[in-house]
Amino acid sequence: MSNVDQQLEDLRAEITSELPSDISVSDVKYEGPELVVYTRDPKKFARNGDLIRQLASQLRKRITVRPDPDVLSRPNDAREDIMRVIPDEAGVTDLDFHVDTGEVVIEAEKPGMVIGKHGSTLREITQEVGWTPEVVRTPPIESSTVSNVRNFLKQERDERRDILEKVGRQIHREEMSNDEYVRVTTLGCCREVGRASFILSTPETRVLIDCGDKPGAEDEVPYLQVEEALGAGANTIDAVVLTHAHLDHSALLPLLFKYGYDGPIYTTEPSRDLMGLLQLDYLDVAAKEGRAPPYESEMVRETIKHTIPLEYGDVTDIAPDVKLTLHNAGHILGSAVAHFHIGDGLYNVAFSGDIHYDDTRLFNGAVNDFPRVETLILESTYGGRNDYQTDQEDSESRLKDVINDTYDQGGKVLIPAFAVGRSQEMMLVIEEAMRNGDIPEMPVHLDGMIWEATAIHTTYPEYLRDDLRDRIFHEDENPFLADQFNHIDGGEEERQEVADGGPCIVLSTSGMVTGGPIMSWLEHVGGDPDSTLTFVGYQAQGTLGRRIQNGWDEIPMNDRGRGRNNTLKLEVDVETVDGFSGHADRQGLMNFVKTMSPRPEKVLCVHGDESSVQDLSSALYHEYNMRTFAPKNLETFRFK
Ligand SMILES: [Zn+2]
């Protein structure tokens, strides 16, 4: 009998002896990080509300109880009983029964009402029908990404359970080594922005943190092909952790599966959905630009299939000697600081991912409170000594001035923006300004993936800032559903109509004017001296956005699709409104470390240009007297 089987046998015996004698245990299994207990008496289990919690704390495991398939009531009967228990106001839109696991997935407009106070309604459902309920939110704005991901996972449920069972046995395998060390190898984003990736290793375990792409680095050998990166191959990695969905952190995850990896990816649920959306778009863009994409869309599906979503604050075993906890990072939807506890109190490392320290309109500020942490791997995008951002309020009032002036001229405000994050922030600023009468009411058109990304935001209000979340819970106050917002889904014809119409605001991708529908908008509106092109985000070196900012007013338009090749003369006003950012500025980064509890002993400054990481590293050393480093790519640090 294998070690894991023996372990499960012992657990089964222990659980049986702890439970009242009238509750039977028919099987005990690992599924990913969870211990699943099958019982012939699910109703009795549910009646003792505290039983599962007691077991979980005694065994120090996450426990799920499921009914033995033999004892289940028929789905049709169960459906009626379930609907009787759930209040009508919950707005149930779908019930999906899984006979083999005894789970019923309930999709509802108000999941809180299906859960009930401290889970009381859920327990009532199990008491009534024996099935184990699982609740998901019906997106308030229909999202094809969310429904595609959910349908896909539904189809793949059997295979997914096999994957989870395999992962579960991996996590709970016996430790083989008597050695003790903790190392971090930097694979990317050191003294550069882009291709974030690290390996955290112990004698027992190798964890890959992030796996991003570096835009514009097509000629460089991807680090994933460098020997130090994957060692004896992708299969030597035990687990992958994704801090957030931005492509410079997530783009190459699917490549791992092409290389033969078939282990888990831990991230938040919204990061999983956003990642899928962005990776598919990444393939799309590559194809349009005539580049051979590094992997096929099938690999994106593999990535999603292998994702194990975690909530903020859940302490999760991901290997025999590694516990992972994700915390809010305040950067984009679902973004996380990844905290690792290694061994039994041996060492603690936190990877910041990208962070925003202060609250923004969309998110609460990044969490920097941990039980223990010795080393921090810290992003340094704005770590340079002069990287101070304009105050958010000043930026917003500048934006309102630009909109008012343009409106008075009868023009249109064209804002290139990233689909994820900046666009939703703009929507919130604009919606509030119109509600308060600071700017006139006018249509706000959303083009590119912005609408879809917004729909994903409204599906996961738990991940948004407290007051915004509360507004979304009250349907009539959901700012993203305001009447002014119009989704451009009619393509070129609709754009032409908008261009021929009166004053309006257009938010469109891509954020750096490197392609996408913004190119069309430039064709339509770029020649109008009464309109304004307004930059609200960083424009990287070499992008068309940066060139226009620098005064270029003749734009080559070579549109492969239409075989045209001509020059567009820009007549619009060009404005830049600084201060909107998903990243902490220099002060924010310093404050993150200053108020961090506990203060780490060592900080590795990464994810910034050479001067930014050097500046930040030296400032942290001088001000807080800690050991700091500005590593290069492919360095290894031994911490213990
Ligand atoms: Zn990011």
Side-chain angles (χ1 to χ4, degrees), residues 594-607:
K594 183 182 176 185
T595 61
M596 190 164 161
S597 163
R599 185 88 60 85
E601 295 158 10
K602 291 181 189 141
V603 181
L604 271 57
C605 298
V606 302
H607 198 288

Side-chain angles (χ1 to χ4, degrees), residues 560-611:
R560 270 169 218 277
R562 283 174 286 175
R564 275 186 287 167
N565 213 341
N566 48 24
T567 306
L568 174 75
K569 178 96 180 103
L570 274 194
E571 307 271 359
V572 283
D573 270 345
V574 177
E575 298 278 352
T576 295
V577 181
D578 288 322
F580 297 107
S581 176
H583 289 273
D585 68 354
R586 164 64 172 257
Q587 193 58 55
L589 291 167
M590 294 298 285
N591 288 343
F592 181 84
V593 176
K594 183 182 176 185
T595 61
M596 190 164 161
S597 163
R599 185 88 60 85
E601 295 158 10
K602 291 181 189 141
V603 181
L604 271 57
C605 298
V606 302
H607 198 288
D609 294 336
E610 177 114 27
S611 65

Side-chain angles (χ1 to χ4, degrees), residues 244 246 248-249 331 354:
H244 67 285
H246 274 151
D248 60 330
H249 295 254
H331 171 62
D354 291 353

